[in-house]
């Protein structure tokens, strides 16, 4: 059937709407980084990424126009100050791009899987290819500079065995078996994301003047520090090295490179994502203490997300998604 005769589904609208906002935010961040970064390889990476985001945004605008749907406002040139001095080092921005690309890969895969119309599927198929290309470029630069942090190595000379005792999950006497590769990998994966989020929040907190938003960033910092400390300790108890913090990659600038709206949105976006990653780690962890830590981290993040929602509503920064027809009100209209 011709796509023009098939309406967009609610899932497709949500994916397009969300991507539009995220791409406008990405464009603002990329433009600021290009105005401050010095390393030619990192500059080239962000130049390439900016081109990808602008290409995606053009496709999205055409889809919204053809469907007679008004796109969200998202973020504009008013939300970025390219004249602000560097708030983060080049090394931070390289790691940031790598972590954000992993978020993009996960998001595009979900958007592809909930889309039925061929043009929408084609769009997200290409988005996945674009994100994989950015991922490859970012990891190659990290590897070439010797700063990519790999998850813990495990011995490969172990026989295949079946789990036959409940103690593998929970030991009534308090003894804990060593972390398996999935548990250690998930912990390391989530720690890297939390560490990047912490550095971003610390930098944002440094330049924010609004008292309410400053308090929100304080809450974010308290939550992410708690999560980092707990999971770092789990790795250290197993004599496994946790990833390094990025706090030293923040400059002493007190000039905001982005609007308060963009900084609050970005922080809230990362905490929303964190709950999904902790949930995935929780359901795949067979050591009960690890699953419990994931559960507690989700609850802490949800509390932070709640304060994020309140401040976004208070400031009038949340844009309404298209809503279902109100059948009760239609006769009155």
């Amino acid at each position: 059937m011709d796509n023009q005769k098939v309406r967009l589904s609610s899932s497709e609208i949500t994916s397009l709407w969300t991507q539009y906002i995220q791409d406008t935010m990405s464009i603002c961040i990329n433009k600021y980084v290009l105005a401050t970064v010095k390393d030619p390889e990192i500059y080239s990476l962000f130049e390439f990424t900016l081109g990808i985001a602008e290409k995606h945004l053009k496709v999205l605008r055409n889809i919204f126009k053809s469907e007679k749907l008004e796109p969200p406002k998202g973020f504009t040139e008013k939300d970025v100050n390219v004249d602000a001095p560097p708030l983060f080092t080049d090394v931070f921005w390289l790691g940031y791009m790598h972590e954000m690309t992993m978020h993009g890969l996960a998001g595009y895969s979900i958007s592809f899987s909930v889309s039925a119309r061929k043009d929408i599927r084609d769009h997200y198929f290409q988005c996945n290819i674009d994100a994989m290309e950015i991922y490859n470029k970012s990891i190659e630069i990290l590897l070439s500079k010797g700063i990519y942090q790999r998850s813990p190595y495990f011995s490969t000379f172990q026989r295949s065995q079946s789990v036959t005792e409940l103690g593998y999950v929970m030991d009534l006497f308090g003894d804990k078996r060593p972390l398996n590769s999935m548990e250690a990998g998930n912990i390391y994966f989530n720690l890297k994301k939390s560490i990047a989020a912490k550095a971003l929040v610390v930098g944002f907190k440094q330049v924010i003047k609004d008292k309410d938003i400053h308090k929100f960033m304080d809450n974010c910092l308290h939550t992410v520090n708690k999560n980092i400390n707990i999971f770092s300790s789990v790795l250290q108890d197993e004599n496994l090295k946790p990833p390094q913090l990025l706090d030293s990659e923040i400059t002493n600038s007190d000039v905001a490179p982005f609007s308060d709206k963009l900084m609050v949105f970005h922080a809230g976006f990362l905490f929303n994502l964190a709950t999904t990653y902790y949930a995935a780690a929780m359901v795949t962890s067979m050591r009960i203490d690890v699953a419990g830590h994931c559960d507690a981290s989700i609850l802490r993040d949800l509390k932070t997300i709640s304060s994020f929602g309140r401040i976004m509503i208070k400031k009038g920064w949340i844009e309404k998604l298209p809503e279902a027809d109100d059948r009760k009100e239609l006769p009155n209209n």
Side-chain angles (χ1 to χ4, degrees), residues 32 86-88 92-93 195-209 214 217 221 246-247 249-258 263:
Y32 168 70
L87 181 57
F88 302 98
F92 169 82
W93 284 121
I195 286 169
K198 178 192 174 183
L200 200 72
V201 167
V202 171
F204 287 171
K205 180 173 173 284
Q206 186 171 293
V207 299
I208 283 172
K209 304 298 189 291
H214 200 273
M217 291 296 173
L221 188 57
L246 293 171
D247 298 24
E249 306 302 329
I250 307 166
T251 73
N252 61 359
S253 173
D254 61 356
V255 180
F258 309 112
M263 290 187 283

Side-chain angles (χ1 to χ4, degrees), residues 6 12 17 60 62 91 139 188 190 195 200 206 217 221 226 232 244 290 295 297 301 319 321 332:
V6 180
E12 291 164 341
W17 183 280
L60 294 171
N62 287 336
V91 169
I139 199 169
Y188 201 88
N190 286 335
I195 286 169
L200 200 72
Q206 186 171 293
M217 291 296 173
L221 188 57
K226 182 80 171 177
S232 293
Q244 293 179 339
V290 175
D295 185 38
S297 295
D301 283 355
E319 295 186 66
L321 277 158
N332 297 327

Side-chain angles (χ1 to χ4, degrees), residues 7 25 55 59 65 93 95 106-110 126 160 165 177 200 241 250 254 285 293 329:
R7 297 165 61 190
M25 181 180 73
K55 180 184 73 171
V59 173
K65 184 177 180 180
W93 284 121
Y108 291 144
S109 295
I110 293 172
Q126 183 60 50
S160 176
E165 297 179 358
R177 60 161 173 80
L200 200 72
K241 185 179 179 181
I250 307 166
D254 61 356
S285 296
H293 289 320
E329 290 296 324

Side-chain angles (χ1 to χ4, degrees), residues 46-261:
F46 275 85
E47 192 174 40
F48 177 79
T49 306
L50 176 60
I52 293 294
E54 290 175 336
K55 180 184 73 171
H56 290 174
L57 202 60
K58 183 177 180 181
V59 173
L60 294 171
R61 282 173 175 152
N62 287 336
I63 293 173
F64 277 110
K65 184 177 180 180
S66 66
E67 296 297 320
K68 295 181 173 57
L69 280 172
E70 184 178 349
K73 293 177 182 177
F75 299 94
T76 68
E77 66 277 358
K78 295 179 181 179
D79 294 294
V80 58
N81 176 15
V82 294
D83 295 322
L87 181 57
F88 302 98
T89 66
D90 291 7
V91 169
F92 169 82
W93 284 121
L94 175 58
Y96 166 90
M97 178 55 69
H98 183 68
E99 296 297 329
M100 291 302 293
T101 303
M102 285 193 280
H103 293 319
L105 282 166
Y108 291 144
S109 295
I110 293 172
S111 295
F112 178 84
S113 65
V114 300
S115 299
R117 259 179 48 171
K118 187 177 184 305
D119 60 333
I120 308 301
R121 283 185 285 116
D122 287 346
H123 169 63
Y124 284 114
F125 182 85
Q126 183 60 50
C127 285
N128 271 291
I129 293 174
D130 293 338
M132 285 188 283
E133 192 167 357
I134 296 171
Y135 179 88
N136 279 338
K137 287 178 180 293
S138 65
I139 199 169
E140 287 298 329
I141 299 173
L142 284 164
L143 289 169
S144 69
K145 294 182 181 298
I147 55 177
Y148 180 74
Q149 301 184 71
R150 299 176 187 266
S151 58
Y153 287 101
F154 274 46
S155 171
T156 55
F157 302 103
Q158 297 183 19
R159 292 181 178 180
S160 176
Q161 297 179 1
S162 299
V163 176
T164 58
E165 297 179 358
L166 186 60
Y168 190 82
V169 178
M170 176 181 65
D171 195 303
L172 297 177
F173 298 101
D175 294 330
K176 299 172 185 175
R177 60 161 173 80
L179 292 170
N180 63 35
S181 57
M182 182 175 290
E183 291 160 346
N186 282 337
I187 289 172
Y188 201 88
F189 176 83
N190 286 335
L191 268 173
K192 286 179 72 175
K193 290 184 168 9
S194 295
I195 286 169
K198 178 192 174 183
L200 200 72
V201 167
V202 171
F204 287 171
K205 180 173 173 284
Q206 186 171 293
V207 299
I208 283 172
K209 304 298 189 291
D210 185 287
K211 290 183 179 179
D212 289 338
I213 300 175
H214 200 273
K215 183 178 179 181
F216 167 70
M217 291 296 173
D218 263 335
N219 293 335
C220 290
L221 188 57
H222 175 77
T223 300
V224 76
N225 271 331
K226 182 80 171 177
N227 295 342
I228 290 172
N229 290 337
I230 287 172
F231 288 106
S232 293
S233 295
V234 173
L235 289 182
Q236 288 168 341
D237 288 345
E238 305 284 334
N239 297 309
L240 300 173
K241 185 179 179 181
Q244 293 179 339
L245 293 174
L246 293 171
D247 298 24
S248 61
E249 306 302 329
I250 307 166
T251 73
N252 61 359
S253 173
D254 61 356
V255 180
F258 309 112
S259 67
D260 288 355
K261 173 186 173 183

